Amino acid sequence: MEQLTAELGGAGQIGVGVGPVLEKFDAVSRIAVLRGGGLGDLMFAIPAMAALKAAYPAAHLTLLGTPIHEAVLGAVESPVDEVVVLPFAEGVRPGEEDAGELDRFFAGMRGRAFDLAVQLHGGGRFSNPFLLRLGASHTVGTRTADAALLERSVPYLYYQHEPVRALEVAGFAGAFPVDLEARLAPAGQASFPLRPGDGAQPLVVIHPGATDPRRRWPAAKFAELAAACAADGSRVVLIGDGSEQGLAAEIADSAVSTAVSSLAGALDMAGLVALLAAADVVVANDSGPRHLAQALGVPTVGIFWVGNVINAGALGRSLHRVHASWVTACPTCGVDVTQVGWTAARCVHDDSLVAGVAVSDVYGDVWSLTAGKFAKQDA
Protein backbone atom coordinates (compact mmCIF):
# COMPACT_ATOMS: atom_id res chain seq x y z
CA MET A 1 0.00 0.00 0.00
CA GLU A 2 1.30 3.43 -0.90
CA GLN A 3 2.33 5.51 2.10
CA LEU A 4 1.50 9.21 1.88
CA THR A 5 3.99 10.42 4.46
CA ALA A 6 4.67 13.92 5.73
CA GLU A 7 7.83 14.01 3.62
CA LEU A 8 5.63 13.62 0.52
CA GLY A 9 3.09 16.19 1.67
CA GLY A 10 0.32 13.62 1.46
CA ALA A 11 0.73 13.43 -2.33
CA GLY A 12 0.32 10.30 -4.39
CA GLN A 13 2.89 9.06 -6.90
CA ILE A 14 2.02 9.43 -10.59
CA GLY A 15 5.18 8.03 -12.12
CA VAL A 16 8.93 7.59 -11.89
CA GLY A 17 11.67 9.96 -13.04
CA VAL A 18 14.94 10.10 -11.13
CA GLY A 19 12.84 9.11 -8.13
CA PRO A 20 9.09 9.24 -7.49
CA VAL A 21 7.16 11.78 -9.52
CA LEU A 22 4.35 13.04 -7.32
CA GLU A 23 1.03 14.64 -8.17
CA LYS A 24 1.26 18.10 -9.68
CA PHE A 25 0.01 21.09 -7.74
CA ASP A 26 -3.12 22.84 -8.94
CA ALA A 27 -3.25 26.34 -10.42
CA VAL A 28 0.48 27.07 -10.54
CA SER A 29 1.17 30.32 -12.39
CA ARG A 30 4.25 31.61 -10.52
CA ILE A 31 7.24 29.47 -9.55
CA ALA A 32 10.28 30.53 -7.53
CA VAL A 33 13.46 28.43 -7.59
CA LEU A 34 16.15 29.07 -4.95
CA ARG A 35 19.70 28.32 -6.11
CA GLY A 36 22.61 30.47 -5.04
CA GLY A 37 26.29 29.88 -5.70
CA GLY A 38 28.40 30.12 -8.81
CA LEU A 39 28.21 29.30 -12.49
CA GLY A 40 28.44 25.55 -12.00
CA ASP A 41 25.67 25.62 -9.38
CA LEU A 42 23.40 27.26 -11.93
CA MET A 43 24.21 24.58 -14.52
CA PHE A 44 23.25 21.91 -12.00
CA ALA A 45 19.81 23.51 -11.56
CA ILE A 46 18.99 24.01 -15.26
CA PRO A 47 17.60 20.48 -15.90
CA ALA A 48 15.24 20.77 -12.93
CA MET A 49 14.03 24.18 -14.09
CA ALA A 50 13.48 22.81 -17.61
CA ALA A 51 11.42 20.00 -16.09
CA LEU A 52 9.36 22.44 -14.01
CA LYS A 53 8.76 24.62 -17.07
CA ALA A 54 7.57 21.57 -19.04
CA ALA A 55 5.28 20.46 -16.22
CA TYR A 56 3.82 23.95 -15.74
CA PRO A 57 4.20 25.54 -19.22
CA ALA A 58 2.02 28.55 -18.47
CA ALA A 59 3.89 29.42 -15.26
CA HIS A 60 6.38 32.27 -14.90
CA LEU A 61 9.63 30.85 -13.50
CA THR A 62 11.74 33.14 -11.31
CA LEU A 63 15.24 32.09 -10.29
CA LEU A 64 16.38 33.52 -6.97
CA GLY A 65 20.09 33.50 -7.73
CA THR A 66 23.29 35.50 -7.87
CA PRO A 67 24.73 38.20 -10.14
CA ILE A 68 26.69 35.66 -12.19
CA HIS A 69 23.47 33.72 -12.77
CA GLU A 70 21.81 36.87 -14.02
CA ALA A 71 24.73 37.54 -16.36
CA VAL A 72 24.91 34.08 -17.90
CA LEU A 73 21.14 33.72 -18.32
CA GLY A 74 21.17 37.04 -20.13
CA ALA A 75 23.57 35.50 -22.66
CA VAL A 76 21.82 32.16 -23.32
CA GLU A 77 18.40 30.75 -24.07
CA SER A 78 17.05 28.97 -20.99
CA PRO A 79 13.85 27.89 -19.20
CA VAL A 80 14.21 30.81 -16.77
CA ASP A 81 11.88 33.77 -17.29
CA GLU A 82 13.48 36.09 -14.73
CA VAL A 83 16.38 36.28 -12.30
CA VAL A 84 16.01 38.06 -8.97
CA VAL A 85 19.36 38.57 -7.26
CA LEU A 86 19.41 37.27 -3.71
CA PRO A 87 20.29 39.55 -0.81
CA PHE A 88 23.22 38.56 1.38
CA ALA A 89 21.98 35.90 3.79
CA GLU A 90 23.80 33.30 5.87
CA GLY A 91 24.02 29.96 4.12
CA VAL A 92 22.28 31.30 1.00
CA ARG A 93 24.46 34.10 -0.39
CA PRO A 94 27.70 34.91 1.46
CA GLY A 95 28.13 38.52 2.53
CA GLU A 96 27.25 40.95 5.28
CA GLU A 97 23.56 40.64 6.09
CA ASP A 98 21.34 43.70 6.30
CA ALA A 99 18.16 42.96 8.26
CA GLY A 100 16.28 45.77 6.60
CA GLU A 101 17.27 44.63 3.13
CA LEU A 102 16.19 41.08 3.94
CA ASP A 103 12.83 42.29 5.24
CA ARG A 104 12.26 44.33 2.08
CA PHE A 105 13.27 41.38 -0.09
CA PHE A 106 10.84 38.99 1.58
CA ALA A 107 8.05 41.54 1.55
CA GLY A 108 8.56 41.96 -2.18
CA MET A 109 8.64 38.23 -2.78
CA ARG A 110 5.50 37.62 -0.71
CA GLY A 111 3.83 40.31 -2.79
CA ARG A 112 4.42 38.19 -5.88
CA ALA A 113 2.26 35.42 -4.40
CA PHE A 114 4.32 32.47 -5.61
CA ASP A 115 2.25 29.33 -6.03
CA LEU A 116 5.28 27.06 -5.79
CA ALA A 117 8.74 27.59 -4.28
CA VAL A 118 11.47 25.03 -4.96
CA GLN A 119 14.67 24.78 -2.92
CA LEU A 120 17.70 23.47 -4.85
CA HIS A 121 20.30 25.02 -2.52
CA GLY A 122 21.88 22.37 -0.34
CA GLY A 123 20.59 20.52 2.67
CA GLY A 124 18.19 23.18 3.85
CA ARG A 125 19.61 24.20 7.22
CA PHE A 126 19.61 27.81 6.06
CA SER A 127 17.85 27.60 2.71
CA ASN A 128 14.62 25.97 3.91
CA PRO A 129 13.79 28.70 6.46
CA PHE A 130 14.72 31.23 3.73
CA LEU A 131 12.35 29.51 1.28
CA LEU A 132 9.52 29.41 3.80
CA ARG A 133 9.74 33.19 4.27
CA LEU A 134 8.71 33.63 0.63
CA GLY A 135 5.17 32.72 1.63
CA ALA A 136 4.56 30.42 -1.34
CA SER A 137 1.45 28.26 -1.39
CA HIS A 138 3.52 25.10 -1.88
CA THR A 139 7.15 24.28 -1.03
CA VAL A 140 9.42 21.48 -2.25
CA GLY A 141 13.12 20.87 -1.68
CA THR A 142 15.93 18.89 -0.11
CA ARG A 143 16.55 18.59 3.61
CA THR A 144 18.94 17.07 6.09
CA ALA A 145 17.50 15.62 9.28
CA ASP A 146 17.99 18.90 11.17
CA ALA A 147 16.51 21.19 8.50
CA ALA A 148 13.03 22.69 8.46
CA LEU A 149 10.40 20.47 6.87
CA LEU A 150 8.91 21.66 3.61
CA GLU A 151 5.59 20.47 2.21
CA ARG A 152 7.44 17.84 0.18
CA SER A 153 11.06 17.04 1.09
CA VAL A 154 13.73 14.93 -0.58
CA PRO A 155 16.43 13.58 1.78
CA TYR A 156 19.77 15.35 1.23
CA LEU A 157 22.84 13.09 1.14
CA TYR A 158 26.03 14.81 0.05
CA TYR A 159 27.31 12.32 -2.52
CA GLN A 160 24.70 12.51 -5.28
CA HIS A 161 25.04 13.88 -8.81
CA GLU A 162 23.84 17.48 -8.45
CA PRO A 163 21.71 17.78 -11.61
CA VAL A 164 20.13 14.43 -10.78
CA ARG A 165 19.47 15.57 -7.21
CA ALA A 166 17.70 18.66 -8.54
CA LEU A 167 15.66 16.51 -10.92
CA GLU A 168 14.59 14.34 -8.01
CA VAL A 169 13.31 17.48 -6.28
CA ALA A 170 11.49 18.55 -9.46
CA GLY A 171 9.85 15.14 -9.49
CA PHE A 172 8.42 15.85 -6.04
CA ALA A 173 6.86 18.94 -7.61
CA GLY A 174 5.21 16.80 -10.28
CA ALA A 175 7.77 17.34 -13.05
CA PHE A 176 9.18 14.54 -15.19
CA PRO A 177 12.77 14.96 -16.48
CA VAL A 178 13.28 16.59 -19.88
CA ASP A 179 17.11 16.49 -19.88
CA LEU A 180 19.49 14.83 -17.43
CA GLU A 181 22.05 17.62 -17.87
CA ALA A 182 21.89 21.30 -18.76
CA ARG A 183 21.20 22.19 -22.40
CA LEU A 184 21.74 25.81 -23.42
CA ALA A 185 22.28 27.85 -26.58
CA PRO A 186 23.84 31.29 -27.06
CA ALA A 187 21.18 34.00 -27.16
CA GLY A 188 23.02 36.64 -29.16
CA GLN A 189 25.72 37.34 -31.70
CA ALA A 190 28.56 38.21 -29.33
CA SER A 191 32.07 37.58 -30.63
CA PHE A 192 35.60 37.32 -29.28
CA PRO A 193 38.92 38.44 -30.77
CA LEU A 194 40.59 35.97 -33.12
CA ARG A 195 43.54 36.47 -35.43
CA PRO A 196 42.88 36.12 -39.20
CA GLY A 197 42.98 32.54 -40.45
CA ASP A 198 42.48 30.94 -37.04
CA GLY A 199 39.21 29.37 -38.09
CA ALA A 200 41.10 26.55 -39.79
CA GLN A 201 42.92 25.58 -36.59
CA PRO A 202 41.42 23.50 -33.81
CA LEU A 203 40.49 25.87 -30.97
CA VAL A 204 41.37 24.56 -27.52
CA VAL A 205 40.06 26.64 -24.62
CA ILE A 206 41.63 26.09 -21.20
CA HIS A 207 40.26 27.24 -17.87
CA PRO A 208 42.93 26.60 -15.19
CA GLY A 209 41.01 27.97 -12.20
CA ALA A 210 38.59 26.56 -9.64
CA THR A 211 36.93 28.03 -6.57
CA ASP A 212 38.59 25.47 -4.29
CA PRO A 213 42.38 25.48 -4.85
CA ARG A 214 42.47 21.78 -4.08
CA ARG A 215 40.59 21.17 -7.36
CA ARG A 216 43.24 22.94 -9.47
CA TRP A 217 45.63 21.02 -11.68
CA PRO A 218 49.13 22.56 -11.33
CA ALA A 219 49.90 25.52 -13.59
CA ALA A 220 53.02 23.77 -14.91
CA LYS A 221 50.90 20.89 -16.19
CA PHE A 222 48.46 23.23 -17.90
CA ALA A 223 51.44 24.97 -19.54
CA GLU A 224 52.84 21.64 -20.75
CA LEU A 225 49.43 20.71 -22.16
CA ALA A 226 49.02 24.10 -23.87
CA ALA A 227 52.48 23.82 -25.46
CA ALA A 228 51.73 20.31 -26.75
CA CYS A 229 48.41 21.40 -28.27
CA ALA A 230 50.06 24.42 -29.91
CA ALA A 231 52.88 22.29 -31.30
CA ASP A 232 50.32 20.06 -33.00
CA GLY A 233 48.56 22.96 -34.71
CA SER A 234 45.88 24.13 -32.27
CA ARG A 235 45.20 27.64 -31.19
CA VAL A 236 45.04 27.66 -27.38
CA VAL A 237 43.13 30.34 -25.47
CA LEU A 238 43.22 30.57 -21.67
CA ILE A 239 40.20 32.00 -19.88
CA GLY A 240 39.30 33.06 -16.37
CA ASP A 241 37.90 35.93 -14.37
CA GLY A 242 39.87 38.94 -13.18
CA SER A 243 41.28 37.05 -10.21
CA GLU A 244 42.72 34.40 -12.54
CA GLN A 245 44.54 36.75 -14.94
CA GLY A 246 47.91 36.14 -13.28
CA LEU A 247 47.49 32.37 -13.35
CA ALA A 248 46.48 32.41 -17.02
CA ALA A 249 49.36 34.74 -17.95
CA GLU A 250 51.84 32.49 -16.13
CA ILE A 251 50.63 29.46 -18.09
CA ALA A 252 50.67 31.31 -21.42
CA ASP A 253 54.19 32.59 -20.80
CA SER A 254 55.43 29.15 -19.73
CA ALA A 255 54.00 27.51 -22.87
CA VAL A 256 56.37 29.67 -24.97
CA SER A 257 54.25 29.67 -28.11
CA THR A 258 52.62 32.41 -30.16
CA ALA A 259 49.64 30.06 -30.57
CA VAL A 260 48.90 30.27 -26.84
CA SER A 261 47.24 33.41 -25.49
CA SER A 262 45.08 34.54 -22.59
CA LEU A 263 41.71 36.27 -22.55
CA ALA A 264 41.36 35.93 -18.77
CA GLY A 265 39.57 38.96 -17.38
CA ALA A 266 38.93 40.32 -20.90
CA LEU A 267 35.54 38.76 -21.71
CA ASP A 268 32.07 39.67 -20.57
CA MET A 269 29.60 36.81 -20.14
CA ALA A 270 28.29 37.03 -23.71
CA GLY A 271 31.87 36.91 -24.98
CA LEU A 272 32.66 33.91 -22.80
CA VAL A 273 29.59 32.08 -24.10
CA ALA A 274 30.59 32.89 -27.68
CA LEU A 275 34.16 31.67 -27.15
CA LEU A 276 33.10 28.45 -25.47
CA ALA A 277 30.50 27.76 -28.16
CA ALA A 278 33.19 28.17 -30.86
CA ALA A 279 35.72 25.88 -29.16
CA ASP A 280 36.57 22.44 -30.48
CA VAL A 281 37.32 21.28 -26.94
CA VAL A 282 37.43 22.87 -23.49
CA VAL A 283 39.93 21.62 -20.91
CA ALA A 284 39.33 22.56 -17.29
CA ASN A 285 39.23 21.57 -13.70
CA ASP A 286 35.84 20.98 -12.06
CA SER A 287 34.75 24.58 -12.66
CA GLY A 288 31.86 26.70 -13.85
CA PRO A 289 33.23 27.35 -17.36
CA ARG A 290 33.63 23.59 -17.95
CA HIS A 291 30.02 23.00 -16.92
CA LEU A 292 28.87 25.89 -19.12
CA ALA A 293 30.82 24.51 -22.10
CA GLN A 294 29.19 21.13 -21.61
CA ALA A 295 25.75 22.76 -21.49
CA LEU A 296 26.54 24.50 -24.80
CA GLY A 297 27.25 21.13 -26.39
CA VAL A 298 31.02 21.59 -26.60
CA PRO A 299 33.35 18.60 -25.98
CA THR A 300 35.23 18.84 -22.68
CA VAL A 301 38.12 17.21 -20.91
CA GLY A 302 37.72 17.59 -17.16
CA ILE A 303 40.23 17.09 -14.36
CA PHE A 304 38.35 16.08 -11.22
CA TRP A 305 38.93 14.94 -7.68
CA VAL A 306 37.04 11.64 -7.43
CA GLY A 307 34.42 12.92 -4.99
CA ASN A 308 33.56 15.71 -7.40
CA VAL A 309 33.11 13.19 -10.23
CA ILE A 310 30.22 11.74 -8.22
CA ASN A 311 28.61 15.13 -7.70
CA ALA A 312 29.50 17.00 -10.88
CA GLY A 313 31.09 14.81 -13.54
CA ALA A 314 29.63 14.62 -17.06
CA LEU A 315 27.43 11.56 -17.53
CA GLY A 316 28.48 10.72 -21.11
CA ARG A 317 31.91 9.87 -22.53
CA SER A 318 31.47 10.35 -26.30
CA LEU A 319 31.91 14.12 -25.95
CA HIS A 320 33.16 14.47 -22.38
CA ARG A 321 36.21 12.87 -20.83
CA VAL A 322 36.91 12.76 -17.11
CA HIS A 323 40.29 12.29 -15.46
CA ALA A 324 39.73 11.42 -11.82
CA SER A 325 42.27 11.70 -9.04
CA TRP A 326 41.73 9.02 -6.40
CA VAL A 327 43.51 10.90 -3.60
CA THR A 328 41.45 10.58 -0.40
CA ALA A 329 43.76 12.16 2.18
CA CYS A 330 45.30 15.60 2.45
CA PRO A 331 48.91 15.32 1.15
CA THR A 332 50.14 17.47 4.08
CA CYS A 333 48.25 16.35 7.18
CA GLY A 334 46.63 13.11 6.07
CA VAL A 335 43.08 14.06 7.05
CA ASP A 336 40.33 12.17 5.23
CA VAL A 337 39.13 14.59 2.53
CA THR A 338 36.15 12.44 1.60
CA GLN A 339 34.36 13.80 4.68
CA VAL A 340 32.98 16.96 3.12
CA GLY A 341 30.15 19.41 3.50
CA TRP A 342 28.93 19.62 7.06
CA THR A 343 30.22 16.14 8.01
CA ALA A 344 33.74 17.22 9.01
CA ALA A 345 35.80 20.36 9.32
CA ARG A 346 38.03 21.12 6.33
CA CYS A 347 41.75 21.11 7.05
CA VAL A 348 43.66 24.34 6.40
CA HIS A 349 45.83 22.98 3.58
CA ASP A 350 45.26 23.84 -0.08
CA ASP A 351 47.43 21.16 -1.71
CA SER A 352 46.12 20.10 -5.10
CA LEU A 353 44.23 16.82 -4.90
CA VAL A 354 44.49 16.37 -8.68
CA ALA A 355 48.22 16.96 -9.22
CA GLY A 356 48.79 13.29 -10.04
CA VAL A 357 46.73 13.40 -13.24
CA ALA A 358 49.18 12.93 -16.14
CA VAL A 359 49.54 15.49 -18.91
CA SER A 360 49.87 12.72 -21.49
CA ASP A 361 46.47 11.30 -20.50
CA VAL A 362 44.74 14.67 -20.76
CA TYR A 363 46.45 15.46 -24.06
CA GLY A 364 45.40 12.09 -25.46
CA ASP A 365 41.76 12.99 -24.96
CA VAL A 366 42.22 16.49 -26.39
CA TRP A 367 43.79 14.92 -29.49
CA SER A 368 40.96 12.38 -29.75
CA LEU A 369 38.26 15.06 -29.57
CA THR A 370 39.97 17.35 -32.12
CA ALA A 371 41.27 14.63 -34.46
CA GLY A 372 38.63 15.33 -37.09
CA LYS A 373 39.70 18.92 -37.45
CA PHE A 374 43.38 17.99 -37.48
CA ALA A 375 42.63 15.52 -40.30
CA LYS A 376 40.92 18.23 -42.37
CA GLN A 377 43.83 20.58 -41.71
CA ASP A 378 46.35 17.99 -42.89
CA ALA A 379 44.35 16.98 -45.98
Side-chain angles (χ1 to χ4, degrees):
M1 180 180 293
E2 185 177 14
Q3 294 182 336
L4 305 182
T5 67
E7 292 282 310
L8 305 186
Q13 181 174 332
I14 61 171
V16 177
V18 169
V21 177
L22 305 185
E23 296 166 325
K24 289 172 59 177
F25 297 107
D26 294 329
V28 172
S29 61
R30 298 192 68 86
I31 301 172
V33 174
L34 173 61
R35 173 72 258 196
L39 180 54
D41 298 306
L42 171 62
M43 295 301 105
F44 301 153
I46 291 290
M49 292 190 286
L52 290 166
K53 195 69 174 176
Y56 301 98
H60 182 90
L61 194 154
T62 299
L63 171 65
L64 307 180
T66 60
I68 195 170
H69 297 171
E70 185 176 42
V72 72
L73 291 176
V76 298
E77 298 175 1
S78 81
V80 177
D81 295 304
E82 172 193 26
V83 180
V84 173
V85 175
L86 290 160
F88 296 124
E90 185 178 7
V92 173
R93 185 183 172 205
E96 186 175 349
E97 287 190 17
D98 181 308
E101 182 182 2
L102 281 167
D103 288 342
R104 288 188 293 273
F105 171 82
F106 286 116
M109 293 301 100
R110 287 192 294 270
R112 294 179 177 228
F114 288 116
D115 303 296
L116 171 61
V118 180
Q119 190 276 101
L120 301 179
H121 187 90
R125 183 178 292 112
F126 297 102
S127 49
N128 283 2
F130 188 100
L131 192 83
L132 291 167
R133 288 187 67 182
L134 301 174
S137 301
H138 302 287
T139 56
V140 180
T142 48
R143 69 179 293 265
T144 54
D146 61 344
L149 185 66
L150 304 177
E151 182 177 352
R152 299 178 185 176
S153 297
V154 176
Y156 181 93
L157 301 172
Y158 182 82
Y159 283 116
Q160 181 179 9
H161 194 255
E162 291 289 350
V164 170
R165 186 201 309 279
L167 281 170
E168 190 169 6
V169 173
F172 270 46
F176 286 90
V178 175
D179 287 311
L180 292 178
E181 297 174 292
R183 300 282 181 262
L184 299 172
Q189 300 298 318
S191 61
F192 52 91
L194 275 176
R195 293 192 298 271
D198 281 344
Q201 297 174 272
L203 176 59
V204 177
V205 174
I206 293 177
H207 179 235
T211 304
D212 187 337
R214 298 174 300 174
R215 299 203 309 259
R216 297 176 192 161
W217 206 34
K221 292 198 169 187
F222 272 119
E224 184 180 343
L225 174 70
C229 292
D232 280 327
S234 289
R235 174 165 184 212
V236 181
V237 177
L238 289 135
I239 60 170
D241 61 24
S243 70
E244 295 163 336
Q245 284 180 295
L247 173 62
E250 174 191 346
I251 293 168
D253 290 344
S254 298
V256 194
S257 171
T258 57
V260 180
S261 61
S262 172
L263 288 176
L267 298 172
D268 61 12
M269 189 56 70
L272 175 63
V273 168
L275 175 61
L276 293 176
D280 291 288
V281 63
V282 173
V283 184
N285 303 308
D286 173 20
S287 68
R290 196 218 66 83
H291 297 299
L292 177 57
Q294 178 185 329
L296 292 167
V298 178
T300 69
V301 180
I303 300 156
F304 285 78
W305 173 63
V306 64
N308 297 132
V309 175
I310 297 171
N311 287 60
L315 296 178
R317 291 295 175 268
S318 56
L319 292 179
H320 307 291
R321 310 295 168 79
V322 171
H323 292 270
S325 166
W326 296 86
V327 172
T328 60
C330 171
T332 297
C333 69
V335 70
D336 181 1
V337 294
T338 67
Q339 300 302 305
V340 291
W342 71 94
T343 58
R346 181 203 191 288
C347 74
V348 298
H349 306 111
D350 287 335
D351 308 64
S352 172
L353 300 179
V354 297
V357 173
V359 174
S360 59
D361 292 339
V362 176
Y363 175 73
D365 277 336
V366 174
W367 173 266
S368 172
L369 292 168
T370 57
K373 197 153 189 176
F374 276 120
K376 291 178 183 177
Q377 179 180 309
D378 294 338

